[in-house]
Amino acid sequence: MPSHAKSSLEAGLVALKQGNYDAAIAQLEPIAKDQNLGNACLQARVGLVMAYTRIGQVSKAIALCKNLAQSHNPQVQDWATRALSHLTKPPVTPPKSKKTATASVSFDHSSSHTNSDGDYTNFQPAKIYWRNARRAKVWQPLRKPNLINSIFSWLLATGTFIILFWGLRATVKLGMGLINQALVKLPYLNPLQFLYSDPTVFVLILLLVLIASSPWLLDWLLGEFYGQQELSKEKLNSYSRETGRVLQRTCQQKHQPLPKLRILPMSAPIMLTYGNLTRTTRITISQGLLEQLADDEIATIYALGLGQSRHRDLIIMSLVLLLTLPIYGIYQQASTWGNKISQKIWRWPITVLASLSYGLWSLITGVALLHARLRLNYSDRTSAEITGNPNALIRALLKISIGVSHDIAKQEHTNCQLESLNLLAPVSYQQSITLGSIAGHLPFESFFQWENFHPYRQWFTINNSHPLIGDRIERLCQIARHWHLDTELHLTNQKSLTVKPNSFLLQIAPWLGIPLGFVFAGLLWLTWQTAYAIHLLNLKWIYEDWSFVIGCILIAFSIGTLMRINTLFPDINLTSVQTNDHLPNLFSDASILPIDGISVRIVGKLIGRHGTSNYLGQDLILQSKQGLIKLNHIPWLGKSITPQDWIGRQIIVTGWFRRGATPWIDIQTLENQSGKTIYSPHPIWSTVLAVAAQAWGAYLFLVG
């Protein structure tokens, strides 16, 4: 064999192993066409079958397999026959795909509607082929977390409780004040004296009572409103025999009782753990999780729950869930009422109630975001250590993402139950929207390029409830390599990465203005104090009223906002915009930041919640033939037509693609088939915000 052919073959096989399928195909295709190369030609063709399969070009893989099945080499014939049987399997819908330990898993999106002028909203059934990398037979325990991590975790739990306490206290005090204020203004009624008292002791006792009773209160809430039931061991064993063995062995080793097992009648795969002690722990999974994961994968998810039950954050997370579920229930009920009311004058107060409830739910959930991210890093590690199977956990996380995305596409909106339980779920539904829907169209290794290799990626998880899945999978791969196992995914940097630090500084310019404004205020105060001491200048209001500091911060925030507007929202030239076919490349580009507003024009179907429940535009998703992507819309005030009115219809979205922890598109315009257009004035509202902050800051600075 010529030396150049040998080097190309080796380079192609290395690229294949690393998950760089485009490079592998480029290296192997010339060798596969040259039959004079003998075994090298056969090796190249086998590699091409695997590469084509991983990037979703199944038809090419099948054609090549049929050719290999005619080979005179019996080993190649046998391999090609087995591969062909997997490739030609008919798609299976999720409810019937209980055992997915075979070479493929399919999710049928054919329930989505098609349109006469394009196949943009029809999801083709995507086959995902898994390596099914092996587990460890014998493994060494992982190194225990250091003392600093334990102390930080304890301080974080304490801090979260304190924030919840003061927030609830302020809310109660505000409510008491408003009630008495209303009673004073009403005739024949007097204010209630006990509402003038300090609610501190009452709020503290209330929180302690909620913590003590959280397992039973959550049992009631989830049973009454979510249909939660007990999960029998017999039913669990029918899906995963390994899970029972893992639970029994782990609890015996730790001398703790078995957790109580529950099940939710949800098609989306989800798991949550709650309780206040190890003996009161409940592990709840959905029916969809049992049906869409394989035996060993279900076991790793239960091991994930066991890891969370042994950590001190269980108490705090259960308390947050207990506080947020009733508030989210008010949002759901108000939305239902609002959708039934046709008269605008009566619908408006219900809409305000629903929006305020959703905002309060988001605020309380936001208190525990950092806690939620850190607990998953710990529980992933614990799950791998309990089962010795980090590769199964990788597959489980990816299949959960695919299942959640499929559920959203099938229902054509985000399930309210899924959103309300998201904080405790193993995978965030926001992350799953794009990741799960693009599986089969883009290799996981390519999608995770940004999540694994972008140097500033962690800054964009601050407002996320879950760590980046790419980072989680990389940590699990490190554990697998530590135990000398092959990994389910080969996460390597496929392209040279160049990120300009100036772009990141411009991205955070408004927030960078806050500390800079504080520093500037300190320098001004020091200068004026010096001038006053030497009787040069007497600006008494500067050192008697500290509101000028807030003024400096607002002015600096405004300057930072104005500095980045043109970069954040560049002019859109319709002749050079990125279209549907470019989306996979955008998802796999590891060098871009959200501020690199990439002009796009995407055709698809608008899905999301209808009416009052989506008044804030929190559930707008574009369903294209490449997958799902989140949309961000800011309305014009007083407009009669909103994006919610076009849900379920084919649209054209023009806007700016952003790549962050969750990819999304900032909308500039939405166009429907009849030619009507909805505008989303992102640059205008950013300018209004900057000017308002500037004016307010100047007022505080000059007047005090």
Side-chain angles (χ1 to χ4, degrees):
M1 179 171 55
S3 59
H4 71 275
K6 183 178 180 181
S7 61
S8 295
L9 178 62
E10 291 175 352
L13 295 178
V14 168
L16 179 65
K17 187 173 182 180
Q18 292 176 344
N20 193 350
Y21 303 112
D22 292 332
I25 291 171
Q27 294 284 351
L28 296 176
E29 276 185 338
I31 303 173
K33 293 176 182 177
D34 191 349
Q35 296 184 6
N36 295 326
L37 294 177
N39 287 335
C41 174
L42 293 177
Q43 283 182 279
R45 291 181 179 182
V46 169
L48 282 174
V49 170
M50 292 187 282
Y52 287 145
T53 301
R54 294 296 289 178
I55 65 173
Q57 296 182 10
V58 181
S59 58
K60 285 188 176 181
I62 291 174
L64 207 50
C65 262
K66 289 179 178 178
N67 183 281
L68 288 171
Q70 307 297 323
S71 171
H72 298 295
N73 188 317
Q75 290 180 328
V76 173
Q77 275 188 355
D78 181 59
W79 182 89
T81 303
R82 284 187 285 110
L84 201 56
S85 66
H86 288 303
L87 288 167
T88 55
K89 276 184 180 178
V92 185
T93 55
K96 297 180 181 178
S97 60
K98 182 185 81 170
K99 299 301 178 186
T100 53
T102 57
S104 67
V105 59
S106 301
F107 292 91
D108 185 1
H109 297 271
S110 58
S111 61
S112 299
H113 301 293
T114 58
N115 293 291
S116 58
D117 59 344
D119 194 22
Y120 294 108
T121 60
N122 182 30
F123 275 23
Q124 297 301 322
K127 282 190 174 184
I128 299 95
Y129 292 84
W130 309 97
R131 288 195 178 99
N132 288 314
R134 64 186 179 89
R135 67 192 305 157
K137 301 298 182 183
V138 179
W139 63 95
Q140 293 295 324
L142 300 172
R143 187 174 60 184
K144 292 183 178 180
N146 57 41
L147 182 61
I148 295 176
N149 288 338
S150 300
I151 294 173
F152 178 75
S153 179
W154 183 85
L155 290 175
L156 182 61
T158 305
T160 304
F161 178 81
I162 291 172
I163 294 173
L164 286 173
F165 166 72
W166 285 107
L168 186 59
R169 178 185 177 275
T171 304
V172 171
K173 196 169 184 178
L174 176 64
M176 292 164 62
L178 291 175
I179 291 172
N180 267 350
Q181 196 173 11
L183 291 175
V184 167
K185 293 185 178 181
L186 290 173
Y188 312 113
L189 293 175
N190 295 319
L192 302 174
Q193 295 303 311
F194 75 90
L195 292 180
Y196 289 115
S197 60
D198 187 359
T200 300
V201 176
F202 167 75
V203 172
L204 182 60
I205 293 174
L206 175 63
L207 286 178
L208 293 176
V209 169
L210 289 177
I211 288 174
S213 56
S214 61
W216 298 277
L217 290 176
L218 286 171
D219 281 345
W220 179 79
L221 282 172
L222 293 172
E224 188 72 19
F225 300 103
Y226 291 73
Q228 177 177 272
Q229 298 175 347
E230 288 190 13
L231 175 62
S232 66
K233 292 181 180 179
E234 292 75 18
K235 182 173 182 178
L236 179 59
N237 286 336
S238 68
Y239 288 93
S240 173
R241 289 192 166 277
E242 183 180 345
T243 298
R245 296 194 296 270
V246 166
L247 292 173
Q248 194 73 36
R249 183 184 71 246
T250 306
C251 291
Q252 284 179 355
Q253 290 174 350
K254 298 296 179 181
H255 305 290
Q256 65 185 52
L258 287 168
K260 292 179 173 59
L261 307 182
R262 304 283 189 266
I263 187 169
L264 292 168
M266 292 171 56
S267 57
I270 191 173
M271 183 278 295
L272 57 143
T273 307
Y274 61 91
N276 52 20
L277 297 169
T278 53
R279 64 173 176 268
T280 62
T281 298
R282 278 84 161 138
I283 300 179
T284 297
I285 51 93
S286 66
Q287 183 66 34
L289 187 140
L290 289 179
E291 293 178 343
Q292 295 175 28
L293 269 62
D295 184 347
D296 57 343
E297 296 156 4
I298 295 172
T300 60
I301 293 299
Y302 269 96
L304 195 76
L306 286 176
Q308 294 170 358
S309 70
R310 286 152 47 180
H311 212 242
R312 60 183 58 86
D313 58 24
L314 178 71
I315 298 173
I316 295 297
M317 299 304 291
S318 299
L319 175 62
V320 172
L321 184 64
L322 183 58
L323 291 173
T324 55
L325 283 184
I327 297 171
Y328 196 90
I330 294 173
Y331 155 72
Q332 283 186 272
Q333 188 59 54
S335 299
T336 303
W337 291 339
N339 292 337
K340 292 180 180 179
I341 298 173
S342 57
Q343 295 180 339
K344 219 171 186 180
I345 189 171
W346 301 113
R347 189 176 183 178
W348 177 248
I350 299 297
T351 302
V352 171
L353 175 62
S355 300
L356 287 176
S357 301
Y358 190 85
L360 182 59
W361 172 81
S362 301
L363 188 64
I364 298 176
T365 301
V367 172
L369 291 182
L370 180 57
H371 221 121
R373 290 199 300 273
L374 292 179
R375 74 197 289 257
L376 284 170
N377 292 336
Y378 170 84
S379 54
D380 284 349
R381 175 190 177 96
T382 306
S383 174
E385 192 169 24
I386 288 174
T387 61
N389 200 353
N391 286 314
L393 182 56
I394 291 173
R395 291 193 297 272
L397 296 177
L398 294 175
K399 289 181 182 180
I400 288 173
S401 294
I402 296 168
V404 168
S405 176
H406 172 268
D407 186 75
I408 293 172
K410 188 176 181 180
Q411 297 193 33
E412 298 191 352
H413 68 269
T414 303
N415 189 326
C416 285
Q417 293 181 343
L418 193 64
E419 184 177 49
S420 61
L421 301 174
N422 182 62
L423 191 67
L424 273 68
V427 177
S428 164
Y429 81 89
Q430 294 100 328
Q431 295 172 327
S432 302
I433 288 174
T434 299
L435 170 59
S437 61
I438 205 167
H441 304 285
L442 181 72
F444 290 121
E445 290 89 344
S446 297
F447 184 86
F448 288 138
Q449 288 292 296
W450 191 93
E451 299 191 10
N452 285 122
F453 303 109
H454 199 291
Y456 303 116
R457 63 189 183 278
Q458 298 301 338
W459 289 96
F460 301 100
T461 64
I462 291 175
N463 62 343
N464 279 40
S465 57
H466 292 64
L468 294 169
I469 297 182
D471 277 345
R472 293 173 69 185
I473 289 176
E474 173 56 27
R475 283 190 287 270
L476 291 169
C477 287
Q478 289 174 4
I479 294 173
R481 287 191 290 267
H482 177 69
W483 290 334
H484 306 289
L485 301 173
D486 189 18
T487 56
E488 185 67 29
L489 298 182
H490 296 302
L491 300 173
T492 57
N493 196 353
Q494 298 177 6
K495 298 178 182 177
S496 59
L497 186 60
T498 55
V499 181
K500 298 178 181 178
N502 291 341
S503 297
F504 177 69
L505 292 176
L506 198 59
Q507 174 76 49
I508 63 172
W511 318 113
L512 200 59
I514 295 175
L516 291 178
F518 187 81
V519 170
F520 179 69
L523 292 174
L524 282 179
W525 180 84
L526 185 62
T527 303
W528 285 327
Q529 280 285 34
T530 304
Y532 175 71
I534 62 176
H535 305 288
L536 182 64
L537 193 64
N538 183 11
L539 295 175
K540 204 172 181 183
W541 55 272
I542 289 294
Y543 54 83
E544 284 190 349
D545 187 354
W546 286 91
S547 60
F548 85 96
V549 176
I550 300 175
C552 289
I553 291 174
L554 287 171
I555 291 171
F557 174 83
S558 171
I559 293 172
T561 302
L562 290 171
M563 284 175 61
R564 71 172 192 172
I565 283 180
N566 289 336
T567 306
L568 197 62
F569 303 105
D571 292 337
I572 295 179
N573 185 351
L574 294 181
T575 60
S576 60
V577 293
Q578 306 287 306
T579 57
N580 289 64
D581 294 334
H582 297 96
L583 273 179
N585 294 331
L586 295 177
F587 291 140
S588 60
D589 191 341
S591 63
I592 58 177
L593 285 165
I595 198 169
D596 300 321
I598 300 172
S599 302
V600 294
R601 186 172 173 84
I602 310 297
V603 181
K605 182 179 181 180
L606 184 64
I607 63 175
R609 297 183 196 134
H610 291 269
T612 306
S613 61
N614 205 9
Y615 181 77
L616 300 175
Q618 65 267 40
D619 189 37
L620 293 176
I621 301 170
L622 182 69
Q623 184 186 57
S624 72
K625 62 180 180 180
Q626 284 76 20
L628 306 179
I629 187 167
K630 197 89 172 62
L631 300 178
N632 183 25
H633 169 69
I634 297 179
W636 279 104
L637 296 178
K639 291 292 182 179
S640 58
I641 301 177
T642 65
Q644 292 88 325
D645 300 326
W646 290 356
I647 286 187
R649 300 169 64 179
Q650 182 177 322
I651 59 168
I652 301 174
V653 178
T654 304
W656 300 274
F657 173 85
R658 315 283 185 198
R659 185 60 166 101
T662 300
W664 80 96
I665 295 175
D666 279 336
I667 299 172
Q668 185 193 51
T669 61
L670 295 178
E671 302 171 46
N672 67 5
Q673 290 175 302
S674 59
K676 293 183 179 179
T677 303
I678 296 176
Y679 294 92
S680 186
H682 285 278
I684 294 175
W685 278 113
S686 293
T687 305
V688 169
L689 176 64
V691 171
Q694 186 89 290
W696 188 17
Y699 174 81
L700 292 175
F701 185 84
L702 296 174
V703 178

